[in-house]
């Protein structure tokens, strides 16, 4: 009698488990699969590419989907500066992708030709190829010894310069837009100096960091005065690094 009771209880438990499993698969499971994705981004991604990048082209359960892992995976994309992924019970997920913003262009030797690069404020190279030549950006040169090609990243010593340029772009876009070329100078003084070429003037200017709105206005004013005096043919460059105006004359 006792054994029969236990057998009946065991049968009832197994039946209940089986019923729960059937109910889960028929009713709950379809609702707990993430099948709705909302993307907020200025990066051109079609649905197929998004599903492939996120792994959502396969069945994904709400509770087994690792948001942190997915975020890290998306941030490995060169063009993505920050990814924010959130889940919404029971079957939705939202993704926000902030793209890297172009700050400067540079050139490096590719396979038999120069390859253009687009670099952001963190020194990350995130766009390459001929198509980037359409960008109207300052050209950063003299970076050969600051290049970590295997990481697609400029070394940390250039970061302060890039931060200055990003700040200048935000504080005075007009001054940023007249920069034609920024040539990093050899470290003769043990600090990072730059030679600045402007689209509006012919005489280059030597500056030290930080590159500020005040220094840019001073450079434009000094060059403007000297060119109005007709001295552009005699002066090779103007040095404003010491705080005073020093100019170098062209050799005869």
């Amino acid at each position: 009698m006792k054994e029969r009771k236990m057998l009946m209880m065991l049968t009832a438990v197994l039946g209940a488990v089986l019923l729960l499993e059937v109910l889960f698969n028929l009713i709950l499971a379809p609702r707990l699969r993430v099948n709705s994705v909302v993307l907020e981004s200025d990066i051109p991604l079609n649905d197929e590419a998004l599903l492939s990048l996120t792994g959502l082209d396969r069945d994904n359960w709400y509770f087994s989907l690792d948001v942190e892992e997915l975020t890290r995976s998306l941030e490995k994309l060169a063009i993505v500066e920050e990814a924010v992924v959130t889940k919404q019970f029971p079957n939705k997920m939202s993704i926000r992708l902030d793209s890297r913003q172009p700050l400067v262009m540079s050139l490096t030797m590719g396979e038999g030709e120069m390859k253009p690069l687009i670099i952001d404020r963190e020194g990350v190279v995130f766009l390459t190829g001929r198509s980037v030549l359409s960008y109207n950006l300052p050209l950063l040169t003299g970076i050969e010894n600051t290049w970590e090609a295997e990481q697609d990243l400029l070394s940390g010593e250039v970061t302060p310069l890039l931060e200055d340029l990003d700040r200048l772009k935000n504080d005075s876009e007009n001054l940023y837009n007249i920069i034609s070329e920024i040539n990093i100078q050899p470290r003769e003084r043990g600090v990072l100096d730059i030679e600045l070429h402007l689209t509006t003037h012919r005489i280059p200017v030597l500056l030290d960091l930080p590159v500020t709105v005040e220094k840019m206005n001073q450079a434009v004013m000094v060059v403007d005065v000297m060119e109005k005096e007709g001295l552009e043919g005699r002066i090779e460059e103007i040095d404003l690094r010491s705080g005073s105006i020093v100019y170098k004359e062209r050799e005869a």
Side-chain angles (χ1 to χ4, degrees):
M1 194 70 165
K2 198 181 215 182
E3 292 178 353
R4 188 175 176 185
K5 255 187 187 179
M6 288 183 64
L7 185 59
M8 289 177 65
M9 286 178 63
L10 184 59
T11 303
V13 170
L14 291 174
V17 170
L18 181 62
L19 179 61
L20 287 173
E21 187 175 349
V22 170
L23 290 173
F24 177 80
N25 286 308
L26 290 179
I27 299 175
L28 288 178
R31 297 173 182 268
L32 294 176
R33 283 194 181 97
V34 176
N35 54 26
S36 176
V37 182
V38 177
L39 175 65
E40 179 187 346
S41 175
D42 55 357
I43 302 172
L45 276 177
N46 57 39
D47 291 343
E48 184 178 347
L50 174 63
L51 292 175
S52 176
L53 288 170
T54 57
L56 295 176
D57 50 353
R58 304 178 294 276
D59 285 341
N60 286 275
W61 299 98
Y62 179 86
F63 290 108
S64 64
L65 191 63
D66 190 331
V67 169
E68 291 184 2
E69 183 180 347
L70 180 55
T71 300
R72 286 193 296 270
S73 176
L74 289 168
E75 288 182 345
K76 285 180 181 178
L77 298 173
I79 199 170
V80 176
E81 181 175 31
E82 182 183 18
V84 178
V85 182
T86 56
K87 293 191 295 186
Q88 298 169 307
F89 189 83
N91 62 354
K92 292 183 180 180
M93 180 170 65
S94 63
I95 300 174
R96 194 191 83 226
L97 300 178
D98 295 334
S99 66
R100 296 188 180 278
Q101 297 303 306
L103 183 66
V104 293
M105 181 183 295
S106 191
L107 298 169
T108 187
M109 181 57 70
E111 297 179 358
E113 62 177 1
M114 298 301 289
K115 181 172 71 172
L117 313 168
I118 297 296
I119 302 169
D120 79 338
R121 61 187 176 185
E122 295 178 349
V124 176
V125 176
F126 64 99
L127 290 174
T128 63
R130 291 184 176 277
S131 61
V132 306
L133 292 173
S134 60
Y135 284 83
N136 184 22
L137 296 169
L139 179 65
L140 183 64
T141 58
I143 64 172
E144 293 77 12
N145 296 326
T146 65
W147 178 245
E148 299 174 8
E150 70 280 359
Q151 299 179 28
D152 279 344
L153 184 71
L154 295 185
S155 67
E157 68 174 348
V158 187
T159 302
L161 170 61
L162 298 176
E163 290 175 348
D164 288 349
L165 292 173
D166 184 59
R167 195 176 300 111
L168 179 67
K169 182 179 180 181
N170 292 323
D171 293 344
S172 179
E173 193 169 5
N174 288 336
L175 287 173
Y176 166 82
N177 285 336
I178 66 171
I179 299 175
S180 171
E181 181 183 347
I182 307 151
N183 181 250
I184 295 176
Q185 299 294 292
R187 282 178 168 268
E188 295 176 356
R189 305 189 311 151
V191 295
L192 190 68
D193 296 326
I194 61 171
E195 183 183 61
L196 202 65
H197 296 259
L198 305 176
T199 61
T200 52
H201 297 81
R202 293 174 55 189
I203 304 174
V205 181
L206 287 177
L207 292 177
D208 54 7
L209 301 188
V211 179
T212 62
V213 171
E214 291 73 23
K215 284 185 180 180
M216 286 291 297
N217 279 326
Q218 182 191 22
V220 171
M221 181 185 68
V222 170
V223 174
D224 192 54
V225 169
M226 290 197 170
E227 290 191 358
K228 283 181 178 177
E229 293 293 325
L231 300 175
E232 68 269 19
R234 290 173 47 193
I235 297 177
E236 185 173 332
E237 65 184 10
I238 298 172
D239 189 346
L240 299 178
R241 293 175 298 178
S242 63
S244 57
I245 302 171
V246 179
Y247 62 88
K248 179 181 178 182
E249 292 193 14
R250 296 182 186 276
E251 294 181 6

